[in-house]
Amino acid sequence: MGGLRISKVYLPTTGAQDWLRLLADPEKQWKRGYSAMAAALAWEAATGMPPEIDALFRGGTELLLAIPEHKVALPGGRRESQCDVFALARIGDETIAIAVEAKVNEPFGPTVGEWLHNASDGKTARIDFICKLLGLNSPPPEGLRYQLFHRTAAAVLEAQRFKTDRAAMIVQSFAQDHRWFEDFMAFLEPFGLRPEPGIAQEYVLPSGMLLTLGWAVGSPTFL
């Protein structure tokens, strides 16, 4: 996977402040009202899975492990997909790998078209790999947000690595006006899905694994 070395040693946190050192740009990202701090406060406050994510799976989700700012290597470059939170959980008799993308006001970043502009062979290989993994045509529509593609791919790759039964990519949004939800809705169109906030959508991957995609609305308390 590109020869990347990603640490496999993780330390438990003692509170939200421990998430700070994991950020790419702490001075910019670690502020009240921003997604990084909101996610850290929400996950540290929860006794297990944050309730808005648990509700997507109709309750009863047992959190086994959560890793902040978890990096997942992808082919076609040196830059990993960095999940705001990666979680392993149990739902009934099944295990699930969950990649979480936290959001408040920050957008999802460049579109596929912008990201592929004057693309290197590596970028082309990466988008082809992601689309094949997800069972989509490559390249995908240019107006869709690239971040949602690589974050979903990260969930599937980690599900394969940990041999879980299922995979999920969840947007944990603390914006009460559902800002950027239209980008998430557009992303789900190629899957044949029409999302609603707080309701999980399911899709069967080419591998036969069930993929859950959802928009969870976090409490404004953490803003």
Side-chain angles (χ1 to χ4, degrees):
M1 300 288 286
L4 295 170
R5 182 186 182 278
I6 299 175
S7 177
K8 295 179 174 62
V9 178
Y10 300 96
L11 297 173
T13 66
T14 58
Q17 194 68 24
D18 288 340
W19 297 45
L20 172 61
R21 64 181 178 81
L22 303 173
L23 299 174
D25 189 350
E27 289 189 8
K28 180 179 179 182
Q29 295 172 286
W30 193 252
K31 297 178 182 178
R32 272 285 186 176
Y34 282 64
S35 60
M37 183 178 285
L41 293 170
W43 281 81
E44 292 288 345
T47 55
M49 191 72 74
E52 64 273 17
I53 298 180
D54 181 53
L56 284 174
F57 299 101
R58 302 179 182 89
T61 308
E62 179 187 356
L63 178 64
L64 303 176
L65 175 72
I67 304 173
E69 302 299 332
H70 180 63
K71 296 179 181 180
V72 180
L74 296 170
R78 301 177 63 86
R79 190 170 182 179
E80 308 97 334
S81 179
Q82 186 161 332
C83 308
D84 292 322
V85 184
F86 170 72
L88 290 174
R90 182 177 290 119
I91 303 173
D93 294 331
E94 295 185 317
T95 53
I96 185 168
I98 306 172
V100 176
E101 177 60 35
K103 278 285 173 278
V104 183
N105 296 319
E106 309 96 317
F108 283 109
T111 63
V112 170
E114 291 166 343
W115 185 76
L116 285 175
H117 181 66
N118 293 328
S120 63
D121 291 342
K123 281 191 173 185
T124 301
R126 175 172 289 199
I127 201 67
D128 287 345
F129 170 85
I130 291 173
C131 288
K132 184 177 181 180
L133 185 71
L134 302 181
L136 303 175
N137 293 327
S138 182
E142 291 189 350
L144 303 184
R145 298 291 174 175
Y146 170 65
Q147 186 181 68
L148 292 168
F149 282 91
H150 70 77
R151 194 71 75 241
T152 304
V156 177
L157 289 173
E158 293 300 77
Q160 293 175 348
R161 186 162 74 98
F162 287 102
K163 298 186 183 300
T164 62
D165 301 294
R166 300 169 54 181
M169 193 284 289
I170 305 300
V171 176
Q172 184 181 20
S173 173
F174 296 90
Q176 302 305 297
D177 60 356
H178 308 311
R179 187 168 298 187
W180 316 118
F181 180 73
E182 65 275 10
D183 287 327
F184 182 71
M185 182 180 293
F187 170 66
L188 264 64
E189 283 185 10
F191 294 93
L193 303 173
R194 292 186 60 82
E196 296 180 39
I199 299 177
Q201 305 293 317
E202 295 182 341
Y203 174 82
V204 179
L205 295 163
S207 65
M209 180 181 286
L210 187 66
L211 171 66
T212 298
L213 297 163
W215 182 281
V217 183
S219 171
T221 302
F222 302 113
L223 299 176

